[in-house]
């Protein structure tokens, strides 16, 4: 039975995979230029990572005082992207909105790319990456369920698999020219939805579990993570969908854009409200729990590396929410894109560096220091982002032709194929 | 503690190519026959030792033979890198002993002799300047860590209007660092000491974020110690030479205290401010302090249950 599956017969799994991979080698000059560009940035990052392997993490700006920095900041942000990209699933499968269903596979591709990117950021942050296997249950010593980090590894891996499996099944069916069976994939879709929330909650808990770090140790952190993720994720999706619409003939309905923009607007409002709530609690009665916020927003003992960044993030988010709240502006693609860009960068700062780094300042013993990433850290991170873009590009490249072929098939043919299988 | 020399001669040539390749994935480079490239991750390991290190199991899962082999590898590497014969012990905890520490802050004058004694005893990297003990110069009239001075350097101590608060790993009885570790590379031993298996730690530094006493330190680069400064009497869970990329911290001088000796910081303190002993022994000095002095613990509200107390004379 297994052997039969592996034979390359037309319409078989192997045929499916081979033809999908085969599509990667067909593309216009723009496609190749894009790939070369990404590979260049990745190569540069890889080169610097070799340096990090050779010399240790001393090539970063990290220290015993601030022991997590740019890598973990990007990780936290990307988990949010991964979680919210799948939120498209809800209108698509629960409310059966066809125009959303059309793009749901792309959302899953974004999720896959974001999870892989997030996990790579954790890998490059490890002091002993070759001991990675110590985390594998069975051969390693997995500290589950006590360690939140072990939870995170588990939910991210599960999420990755889910988001690979569902599209695989759907695409495979379409490849064979039949409609996927709703009863087969729907339970998994439902699971993926809850899982999406869980990955971001667990990542927030990873931080808020530490009473040693008052800046993170707040019940609001989880909700803040989710709210901001529902800003950055749709912002990215809006951009990605427009690019796909421009370079392929894939149908991306304007209705989807509107829906995403609306989600973004509401989430950004909630997110800003949470910021205000935090600021009030920190500064109305300023105690030692507010020292990190004071460092972040105003500087502490002459150290203020993050101050310009956090104000910039606040400004960007405010501007974005203003644009989004004015209906005519939101429906204008130029302004919508502008708002997406502003909010994406704003959240990237807020849920990245401005979240991770102040947790360490001052240290639990009251020492104040600054952290600034080195150029090596930036290059390595750039390489990882490029890898994420590459993963998304390749996934989309494989999926889109299958989807277009299914769409071009006359409806009777699809029905016929369904009847024979 | 075996020092069986491995017949690594035939492997020598093979090693060059292998370690070069390893340099790509793990960062291992220089062996004795190779010119040093950057900072070697495994120092002068032979091929066999590098492979043995890679596949080495968790400390608590190793059988006595595997532990012997692991100790042997550490000893051989120290010999190759620095030409020093070291002994890596694996002394077990003493039954009926749980260690505790108390510091009399009325006596502490801020000399920081404990800090230097600790570095010399515990083989911290000299270039990286890791120190397990931080003595805080505090303003009298309060207990605010945030206004403490970490790098005080007056002509003479003590400074008027200040008192001194030495902080090191508090050997919490409910240690958040242990909870945090995703691979159980750090745990509490039966004698109450929180230890780290430096060969199992993956260097994620989550424990550093979790520790409320800033007690854990990371080896951002390969720790460098001059051969003559290396303390050759070591313990696997304590002061044996550490690799790069792992976390380390105070272990109550496990290599000494499990043999019934006092920690180096206690011996070095000229004022007698430090009291160390067995919490389970009703006649111990530490028990006397706990029963007769008004003691307090740092950040007790976090529920970490430190086995580390502070007290004053008045
Ligand atoms: S002081 Fe820090 S390192 Fe030491 S046991 Fe407590 S939490 Fe762990
Ligand atoms: S740095 Fe090492 S000891 Fe600390 S949590 Fe990570 S694996 Fe565990």
């Amino acid at each position: 039975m297994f052997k039969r599956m592996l034979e390359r017969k037309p319409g078989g799994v192997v045929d499916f995979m081979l033809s999908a991979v085969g599509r990667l080698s067909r593309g216009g000059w723009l496609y190749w230029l894009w790939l070369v560009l990404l590979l260049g940035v990745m190569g540069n990052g890889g080169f610097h990572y070799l340096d990090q392997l050779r010399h240790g993490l001393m090539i970063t700006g990290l220290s015993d005082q601030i022991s997590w920095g740019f890598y973990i900041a990007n990780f936290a942000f990307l988990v949010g992207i991964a979680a919210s990209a799948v939120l498209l699933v809800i209108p698509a499968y629960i409310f059966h909105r066809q125009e959303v269903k059309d793009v749901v596979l792309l959302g899953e591709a974004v999720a896959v790319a974001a999870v892989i990117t997030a996990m790579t950021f954790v890998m490059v942050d490890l002091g002993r990456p070759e001991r990675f296997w110590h985390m594998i249950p069975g051969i390693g010593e997995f500290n589950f369920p006590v360690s939140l980090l072990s939870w995170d590894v588990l939910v991210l891996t599960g999420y990755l698999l889910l988001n690979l499996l569902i599209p695989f099944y759907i695409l495979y069916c379409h490849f064979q020219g039949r409609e996927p069976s709703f009863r087969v994939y729907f339970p998994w879709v439902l699971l993926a939805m809850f899982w999406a929330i869980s990955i971001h909650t667990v990542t927030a808990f990873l931080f808020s579990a530490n009473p040693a770090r008052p800046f993170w140790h707040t019940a609001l952190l989880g909700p803040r993570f989710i709210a901001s993720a529902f800003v950055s994720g749709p912002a990215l999706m809006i951009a990605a969908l427009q690019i796909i619409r421009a370079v392929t003939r894939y149908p991306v309905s304007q209705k989807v854009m509107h829906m995403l923009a609306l989600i973004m607007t509401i989430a950004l409002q909630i997110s800003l409200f949470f910021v205000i709530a935090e600021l009030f609690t920190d500064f109305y009665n300023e105690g030692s729990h507010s020292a990190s916020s004071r460092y972040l927003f105003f500087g502490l003992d002459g150290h203020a590396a993050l101050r310009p960044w956090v104000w910039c993030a606040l400004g960007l988010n405010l501007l974005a929410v203003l644009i989004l709240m004015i209906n005519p502006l939101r429906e204008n693609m130029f302004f919508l894109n502008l708002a997406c860009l502003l909010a994406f960068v704003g959240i990237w700062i807020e849920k990245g560096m401005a979240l991770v780094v102040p947790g360490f300042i001052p240290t639990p013993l009251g020492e104040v220091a600054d952290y600034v990433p080195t150029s090596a850290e930036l290059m390595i991170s750039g390489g990882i982002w490029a890898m994420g873009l590459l993963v998304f590009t390749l996934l989309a490249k494989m999926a889109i032709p299958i989807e277009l072929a299914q769409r071009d098939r006359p409806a009777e043919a699809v029905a016929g194929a369904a009847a024979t299988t | 503690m075996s020092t069986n020399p491995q017949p690594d001669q035939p492997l020598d040539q093979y090693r060059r190519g292998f370690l070069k390749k390893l340099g790509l994935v793990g960062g291992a480079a220089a062996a004795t026959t190779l010119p040093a490239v950057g900072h070697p991750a495994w120092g002068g390991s032979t091929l066999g030792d590098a492979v043995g290190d890679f596949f080495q199991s968790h400390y608590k899962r190793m059988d006595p033979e595997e532990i012997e082999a692991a100790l042997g590898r550490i000893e051989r590497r120290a010999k190759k890198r620095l030409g020093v014969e070291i002994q890596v012990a694996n002394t077990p905890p003493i039954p009926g002993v749980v260690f505790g520490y108390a510091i009399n802050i009325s006596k502490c004058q801020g000399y920081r002799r404990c800090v230097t004694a600790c570095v010399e005893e515990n083989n911290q990297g000299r270039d990286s300047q890791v120190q397990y003990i931080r003595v805080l110069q505090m303003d009298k009239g309060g207990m605010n860590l945030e206004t403490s001075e970490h790098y005080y350097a007056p002509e003479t101590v003590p400074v008027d209007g200040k008192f001194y608060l030495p902080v090191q790993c508090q050997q919490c009885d409910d240690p958040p660092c242990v909870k945090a570790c995703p691979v159980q590379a750090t745990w509490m031993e039966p004698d109450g000491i929180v230890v780290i298996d430096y060969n199992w730690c993956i260097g994620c530094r989550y424990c550093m974020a979790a520790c409320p006493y800033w007690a854990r330190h990371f080896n951002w680069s390969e720790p460098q110690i001059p051969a003559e400064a290396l303390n050759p009497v070591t313990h696997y869970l304590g002061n044996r030479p550490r690799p790069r990329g792992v976390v380390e911290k105070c272990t109550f001088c496990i290599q000494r205290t499990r043999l019934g000796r006092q920690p180096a910081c206690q011996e070095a303190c000229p004022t007698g401010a430090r009291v160390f002993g067995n919490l389970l022994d009703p006649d111990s000095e530490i028990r006397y302090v706990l029963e007769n002095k008004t003691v307090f613990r740092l950040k007790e509200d976090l529920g970490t249950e430190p086995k580390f107390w502070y007290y004053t004379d008045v």
Side-chain angles (χ1 to χ4, degrees):
Chain A
M1 147 96 187
F2 199 63
K3 215 167 140 201
R4 229 183 38 212
M5 260 172 70
L6 288 182
E7 273 166 26
R8 181 169 186 179
K9 57 169 193 285
V13 175
V14 176
D15 186 30
F16 167 60
M17 306 250 271
L18 286 179
S19 72
V21 172
R23 292 220 173 74
L24 298 180
S25 61
R26 272 171 270 148
W29 65 272
L30 206 62
Y31 169 69
W32 288 111
L33 186 71
W34 174 238
L35 288 198
V36 168
L37 190 81
L38 290 179
L39 287 173
V41 179
M42 280 170 70
N44 181 41
F47 177 76
H48 282 91
Y49 184 60
L50 282 185
D51 223 36
Q52 183 180 307
L53 285 179
R54 209 166 297 135
H55 299 285
L57 282 151
M58 67 180 287
I59 68 156
T60 67
L62 297 166
S63 58
D64 279 354
Q65 283 79 9
I66 297 127
S67 45
W68 278 349
F70 201 59
Y71 296 149
I72 298 296
N74 278 295
F75 159 75
F77 175 75
L78 277 158
V79 173
I81 299 281
S84 56
V86 167
L87 117 146
L88 285 170
V89 165
I90 301 169
Y93 293 122
I94 309 267
F95 304 119
H96 292 290
R97 284 178 53 180
Q98 185 54 42
E99 75 279 4
V100 186
K101 250 189 202 170
D102 284 339
V103 296
V104 82
L105 282 178
L106 296 174
E108 268 160 346
V110 169
V112 167
V115 177
I116 292 176
T117 316
M119 286 174 132
T120 312
F121 268 112
V122 175
M123 277 303 284
V124 299
D125 190 64
L126 293 185
R128 307 293 312 198
E130 85 281 8
R131 294 185 187 163
F132 168 76
W133 63 273
H134 294 180
M135 259 196 289
I136 301 172
I139 55 170
E141 266 308 321
F142 201 50
N143 191 9
F144 187 81
V146 176
S147 168
L148 259 300
L149 206 54
S150 69
W151 274 83
D152 221 10
V153 170
L154 209 71
V155 292
L156 284 176
T157 314
Y159 191 65
L160 181 62
L161 292 180
L162 268 180
N163 281 298
L164 282 172
L165 271 180
I166 298 169
F168 185 91
Y169 170 72
I170 294 178
L171 286 172
Y172 181 53
C173 289
H174 285 173
F175 177 73
Q176 292 185 324
R178 60 188 166 100
E179 274 305 315
S181 151
F182 185 71
R183 284 226 312 281
V184 170
Y185 70 81
F186 187 67
W188 298 99
V189 169
L190 216 58
L191 185 63
M193 262 157 44
F194 287 109
W195 209 289
I197 300 293
S198 85
I199 61 166
H200 214 30
T201 311
V202 168
T203 306
F205 284 0
L206 185 81
F207 292 98
S208 67
N210 296 298
R213 310 281 171 184
F215 185 71
W216 299 336
H217 190 235
T218 152
L220 198 52
L221 204 69
R224 273 189 78 181
F225 263 57
I226 303 280
S228 61
F230 279 27
V231 179
S232 51
L236 186 67
M237 283 304 296
I238 291 176
L241 291 177
Q242 282 176 84
I243 294 171
I244 298 233
R245 187 156 67 178
V247 298
T248 69
R249 54 189 185 86
Y250 198 79
V252 177
S253 147
Q254 195 62 21
K255 276 194 210 146
V256 177
M257 301 283 186
H258 288 321
M259 184 194 78
L260 287 171
L262 198 66
I263 293 173
M264 220 177 121
T265 314
I266 299 166
L268 190 51
Q269 286 166 342
I270 297 177
S271 183
L272 281 167
F273 170 70
F274 285 162
V275 173
I276 293 168
E278 290 262 34
L279 285 177
F280 171 77
T281 322
D282 268 338
F283 290 113
Y284 182 75
N285 259 330
E286 208 177 325
S288 57
H289 65 94
S290 351
S292 300
S293 297
R294 175 151 284 278
Y295 166 79
L296 177 61
F297 286 98
F298 305 106
L300 202 63
D301 296 349
H303 295 271
L306 279 172
R307 183 175 54 194
W309 291 95
V310 76
W311 286 109
C312 168
L314 262 184
L316 292 174
N317 286 342
L318 275 175
L319 211 60
V321 87
L322 277 181
I323 296 177
L324 289 171
M325 275 160 63
I326 301 170
N327 264 344
L329 288 188
R330 190 176 65 236
E331 271 151 31
N332 173 312
M333 273 330 261
F334 171 78
F335 280 103
L336 179 59
N337 283 335
L338 181 66
C340 286
L341 183 69
L342 297 178
F344 188 81
V345 177
I347 299 289
W348 179 67
I349 297 172
E350 192 198 305
K351 272 290 140 313
M353 290 287 278
L355 168 92
V356 173
V357 175
F360 292 96
I361 308 168
T363 68
L365 296 186
E367 188 181 352
V368 182
D370 273 326
Y371 158 76
V372 179
T374 58
S375 66
E377 253 172 306
L378 298 179
M379 305 270 198
I380 293 172
S381 303
I384 299 174
W385 273 98
M387 184 205 69
L389 287 175
L390 184 74
V391 170
F392 175 72
T393 309
L394 299 185
L395 287 176
K397 181 86 184 157
M398 289 191 279
I400 287 175
I402 299 175
E403 287 298 288
L404 288 179
Q406 171 77 354
R407 214 162 292 283
D408 292 343
R409 269 189 203 106
E412 316 82 69
V414 176
T420 53
T421 44
Chain B
M1 270 188 282
S2 81
T3 38
N4 283 353
Q6 281 264 337
D8 56 309
Q9 237 36 49
L11 289 173
D12 237 42
Q13 274 183 316
Y14 186 36
R15 178 170 77 211
R16 290 167 184 253
F18 177 76
L19 286 182
K20 253 191 223 149
K21 256 184 252 152
L22 262 173
L24 291 176
V25 290
T32 39
T33 48
L34 275 172
V37 185
H39 299 257
W42 287 302
S45 290
T46 59
L47 169 66
D49 282 356
V51 171
D53 266 353
F54 181 79
F55 288 108
Q56 184 177 319
S57 189
H58 188 277
Y59 175 79
K60 293 205 224 173
R61 289 200 315 218
M62 283 192 282
D63 60 29
E65 257 170 53
E66 288 171 317
I67 292 201
E68 278 295 290
L71 304 182
R73 283 194 293 270
I74 300 167
E75 288 167 349
R76 276 197 297 281
R77 189 160 38 252
K79 180 89 178 112
K80 282 211 157 223
R81 275 192 71 206
L82 298 167
V84 184
E85 297 273 359
I86 66 167
Q87 301 91 46
V88 187
N90 185 36
T91 324
I94 312 166
V97 171
V98 169
F99 292 117
Y101 218 144
I103 295 186
N104 183 342
I105 49 178
S106 310
K107 280 193 175 158
C108 177
Q109 307 286 307
Y111 298 145
R112 289 195 281 221
R113 294 272 272 278
C114 50
V115 178
T116 25
C118 171
V119 170
E120 281 159 17
E121 167 70 27
N122 287 299
N123 290 325
Q124 279 101 313
R126 299 304 198 270
D127 56 331
S128 53
Q129 299 190 338
V130 168
Q131 297 169 346
Y132 295 164
I133 306 176
R134 212 11 83 116
V135 182
L136 307 180
Q137 180 175 275
M138 309 272 294
D139 294 326
K140 279 190 176 159
M143 232 330 168
N144 190 356
L145 296 176
E146 261 157 48
T147 54
S148 66
E149 176 55 53
H150 287 235
Y151 304 100
Y152 63 90
E155 290 277 294
T156 55
V157 281
V159 174
D160 273 350
K162 308 280 183 190
F163 72 97
Y164 296 86
L165 186 77
V167 185
Q168 61 207 73
C169 172
Q170 312 277 303
Q171 311 293 355
C172 308
D173 220 36
D174 192 358
C177 56
V178 168
K179 274 200 210 162
C181 181
V183 294
Q184 290 178 23
T186 186
W187 66 90
M188 185 161 67
E189 285 277 291
D191 53 5
I193 304 178
V194 174
V195 294
I196 301 165
D197 182 349
Y198 313 114
N199 277 56
W200 192 259
C201 168
I202 59 173
C204 68
R205 309 190 294 290
Y206 190 32
C207 54
M208 292 175 80
C211 170
Y213 305 96
W214 198 65
R216 303 179 79 98
H217 304 270
F218 185 70
N219 286 294
W220 301 96
S221 57
E222 183 81 12
Q224 304 292 328
I225 308 166
E228 64 281 7
L230 194 75
N231 173 8
V233 185
T234 72
H235 191 287
Y236 179 88
L237 297 171
N239 61 339
R240 50 108 160 180
R242 271 84 64 189
R244 175 235 290 158
V246 302
V247 163
E248 59 179 77
K249 66 170 193 71
C250 158
T251 61
F252 274 178
C253 284
I254 198 166
Q255 65 281 357
R256 290 166 149 252
T257 49
R258 281 197 178 170
L259 299 173
R261 298 178 65 196
Q262 288 283 316
C265 48
Q266 195 279 342
E267 274 181 12
C269 179
T271 69
R274 288 171 169 265
V275 174
F276 178 86
N278 180 7
L279 292 172
L280 301 184
D281 173 7
D283 299 325
S284 63
E285 200 184 345
I286 180 101
R287 280 287 288 272
Y288 177 85
V289 169
L290 296 187
E291 280 154 28
N292 295 287
K293 301 281 179 180
T294 310
V295 297
F296 69 91
R297 296 185 287 184
L298 284 184
K299 307 197 185 196
E300 209 169 19
D301 48 325
L302 299 184
T304 52
E305 300 289 347
K307 294 192 285 293
F308 205 105
W309 289 266
Y310 296 88
Y311 65 103
T312 56
D313 276 335
V314 278

